[in-house]
Amino acid sequence: WGHARYQAARGTVFVGTPDQARAEYEASTLRRRSLQWFGFGLTLAMGVLFGMLWLLRRSERAYGWFALHSLTWLIYAYNFIATEAWPLPDTHGVQRLTLVALLLSILCILAFARVFCQATVSLPLRVAQGLGVGTALAVLLLPVGPMLSVARSGAACLALALFLFAVLTILRHAWRSRSAEALALALCVLLPVAAGVHDVLAFLTWLPGQRYYATPSSTAMLLGISFVLTWPLVQGLRLVVHFNQELRARVDEATARL
């Protein structure tokens, strides 16, 4: 039971000269392995960095949710570079873990959007969070069979819906506040929307092909969000440095007068 038997690894056969085959292989390796590992490393670095910042400044809850989103997204993204099912016993377990990590990461970005936009915990938000947790438990606990296949399809569609909910929350906040940080964040989260729609349709085998774009687009989104989050911190540090320089100049001036 599954989506085209989890889309087996055998792809299309390339026919051409040795030089053409070598060029195709190198391009495929760059796209499927090198760039994936590069994005994996960037996401890990951002998750650790903002996790440490949150530990030092617990009041900055947006840092914590962003770090948790980055770290749970790593589990999902590892599915695109893994070459074996280890440490899980089979591909069924990998599929369960991948979808649960996807749902958890989207729930984290939804919580991040609520904190960043200073939104209240509304009934639709509670319903969305409950659906996400319930679907994750279903994917994790249901036995292999038709019901699990339905739960997997539902998990992929729900993850996209929850992400769109977070995007709409951020867009509404940007429209109302018109602040530079909110507008920049809105631009960042718009990037993976088209990639997410494509990937869900490809996952459900409604679109041909086995190429997914959520991981590279999410890396660009995470870089943009990290810039938005660190900009106020940098501005604050600049104010502190300017204050220290001005204070030092005043002290030197007072000392010279004495």
Side-chain angles (χ1 to χ4, degrees):
W1 306 94
H3 302 90
R5 298 177 299 279
Y6 300 137
Q7 298 185 2
R10 290 185 179 180
T12 57
V13 176
F14 178 82
V15 178
T17 65
D19 290 338
Q20 292 174 335
R22 186 181 299 107
E24 176 66 21
Y25 171 77
E26 291 174 352
S28 178
T29 302
L30 175 65
R31 182 178 64 251
R32 296 176 180 271
R33 301 289 297 175
S34 303
L35 292 180
Q36 296 283 356
W37 275 113
F38 178 73
F40 190 90
L42 281 179
T43 305
L44 176 61
M46 287 184 286
V48 172
L49 173 62
F50 282 95
M52 294 177 64
L53 288 175
W54 175 76
L55 289 175
L56 295 174
R57 301 182 63 180
R58 296 293 183 90
S59 61
E60 299 288 348
R61 292 183 298 164
Y63 289 174
W65 285 116
F66 179 69
L68 194 57
H69 164 72
S70 300
L71 296 177
T72 50
W73 181 262
L74 283 177
I75 303 174
Y76 170 76
Y78 183 71
N79 178 61
F80 294 95
I81 53 179
T83 57
E84 56 184 352
W86 186 91
L88 298 175
D90 51 34
T91 54
H92 293 303
V94 173
Q95 184 78 342
R96 291 177 191 268
L97 180 62
T98 300
L99 286 176
V100 169
L102 174 63
L103 283 171
L104 292 180
S105 67
I106 299 300
L107 287 174
C108 290
I109 203 66
L110 183 60
F112 164 81
R114 181 186 64 82
V115 172
F116 183 89
C117 301
Q118 299 178 351
T120 58
V121 183
S122 60
L123 179 60
L125 178 61
R126 292 185 183 275
V127 171
Q129 291 172 337
L131 286 174
V133 173
T135 305
L137 290 175
V139 171
L140 196 61
L141 300 177
L142 283 175
V144 177
M147 290 302 297
L148 179 59
S149 181
V150 172
R152 284 196 299 260
S153 300
C157 295
L158 181 61
L160 178 61
L162 293 177
F163 180 71
L164 292 177
F165 188 9
V167 170
L168 290 177
T169 301
I170 294 172
L171 291 177
R172 184 178 62 179
H173 174 68
W175 178 261
R176 291 179 175 179
S177 67
R178 304 296 177 91
S179 64
E181 292 83 0
L183 292 174
L185 181 63
L187 292 177
C188 294
V189 297
L190 281 175
L191 181 62
V193 171
V197 173
H198 170 274
D199 287 3
V200 168
L201 295 178
F203 176 78
L204 297 174
T205 65
W206 294 351
L207 284 180
Q210 298 181 10
R211 185 176 297 181
Y212 294 91
Y213 300 97
T215 302
S217 65
S218 67
T219 301
M221 181 192 74
L222 293 178
L223 284 173
I225 294 178
S226 64
F227 175 79
V228 172
L229 292 178
T230 53
W231 181 250
L233 183 62
V234 171
Q235 291 294 94
L237 291 175
R238 286 178 178 175
L239 289 175
V240 171
V241 171
H242 178 71
F243 174 79
N244 290 336
Q245 291 174 345
E246 186 176 354
L247 179 62
R248 181 64 182 178
R250 295 290 181 87
V251 170
D252 292 341
E253 182 181 353
T255 303
R257 289 179 179 179
L258 294 175

